[in-house]
């Protein structure tokens, strides 16, 4: 579980990014995880608040003080976005990819970095390349089952 983060895009902005994840770890180090990351960007100007929810199922490797996972994702979003000359609201559903690294210090507290890339279908004057990317970093807390 993590809260907070800095979203890096054409204009970096602070966002509240609750992230919930369940992961299963095997003795071999192989892991499987299901993640849900919901980022809420505070409203600025006439375009208002943005919401980006990304769900993923990822495979990876876990060790004593961390884990790394990669896999496919699916996103639902309504975001203010700006292209080279035009700003507007982008709304849609997108397939994509997800990668995440968690490193823990002192057992339960750590840092999480999550990268997401989405394919934005259709034509958009705001996102002419058809791709959107998000990088989120913030604290993470781990609960262990006994």
């Amino acid at each position: 579980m993590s809260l907070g983060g800095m979203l890096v895009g054409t204009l970096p902005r602070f966002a509240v990014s609750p992230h919930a994840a369940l992961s299963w770890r095997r003795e071999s180090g192989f892991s499987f995880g299901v993640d849900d990351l919901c980022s809420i960007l505070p409203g600025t100007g006439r375009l208002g608040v943005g919401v980006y929810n990304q769900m993923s199922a990822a495979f990876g490797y876990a060790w004593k003080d961390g884990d790394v996972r990669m896999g496919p994702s699916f996103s639902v979003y309504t975001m203010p976005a700006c292209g080279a000359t035009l700003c507007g609201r982008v709304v849609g559903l997108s397939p994509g990819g997800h990668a995440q690294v968690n490193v823990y210090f002192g057992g339960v507290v750590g840092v999480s970095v999550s990268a997401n890339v989405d394919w934005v279908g259709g034509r958009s004057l705001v996102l002419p390349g058809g791709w959107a990317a998000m990088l989120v970093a913030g604290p993470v807390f781990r609960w262990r089952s006994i």
Side-chain angles (χ1 to χ4, degrees), residues 46-61:
R46 64 178 175 76
L47 295 176
V49 175
V51 177
Y52 170 90
N53 194 79
Q54 189 254 357
M55 298 142 288
S56 67
F59 296 93
Y61 182 78

Side-chain angles (χ1 to χ4, degrees), residues 59-130:
F59 296 93
Y61 182 78
W63 62 96
K64 180 183 173 194
D65 294 322
D67 60 83
V68 60
R69 292 192 302 270
M70 294 177 71
S73 66
F74 183 76
S75 299
V76 178
Y77 53 87
T78 174
M79 302 282 288
C82 292
T85 60
L86 181 65
C87 288
R89 181 159 289 278
V90 178
V91 177
L93 307 169
S94 296
H98 167 79
Q100 182 171 345
V101 176
N102 299 311
V103 178
Y104 299 97
F105 310 102
V108 298
V109 178
V111 174
S112 179
V113 177
S114 175
N116 308 296
V117 177
D118 292 319
W119 174 68
V120 181
R123 295 196 173 262
S124 172
L125 295 175
V126 177
L127 294 173

